[in-house]
Amino acid sequence: DRILAVAQAYHQQQTAQGRQPEPMRIQEFVREGLLTEHDIRGFAGADVTVYPLPRGPISTNLLMRARMPDGRRLVILANGRVQDVP
């Protein structure tokens, strides 16, 4: 998945520069040209934070938190699992 690959590349870039990778809004990745609007079309109108992840086996690590336009809150794990958050 494109978002996972970008989150991993961002983590690698930040650690290589001696920085602690921090979560970023998904739109920041679009502004920096790392993702396109097409890549994030499923999150149109949502407030999404992407958590940088180290490269390695796909796991149950947190990849994204999203507040959808209808008010639902979701967490998306690196393995693709989506969970509603109360």
Side-chain angles (χ1 to χ4, degrees):
D1 154 78
R2 179 85 180 119
I3 297 172
L4 175 59
V6 167
Q8 291 173 328
Y10 173 72
H11 183 280
Q12 182 177 1
Q13 173 197 36
Q14 293 297 299
T15 54
Q17 294 174 358
R19 297 184 189 141
Q20 175 66 34
E22 298 291 332
M24 282 179 48
R25 297 256 194 258
I26 203 166
Q27 287 298 331
E28 290 297 317
F29 288 107
V30 173
R31 278 192 276 281
E32 292 186 19
L34 300 170
L35 292 171
T36 67
E37 291 293 336
H38 182 76
D39 294 328
I40 66 169
R41 67 192 175 281
F43 297 102
D47 180 19
V48 181
T49 300
V50 177
Y51 293 80
L53 296 172
R55 292 191 191 277
I58 301 299
S59 68
T60 57
N61 289 344
L62 177 65
L63 175 60
M64 295 184 288
R65 287 188 185 272
R67 180 178 296 258
M68 303 306 287
D70 63 4
R72 286 182 306 137
R73 295 177 350 164
L74 306 173
V75 293
I76 299 93
L77 306 179
N79 64 4
R81 188 169 176 196
V82 178
Q83 299 174 339
D84 283 299
V85 178

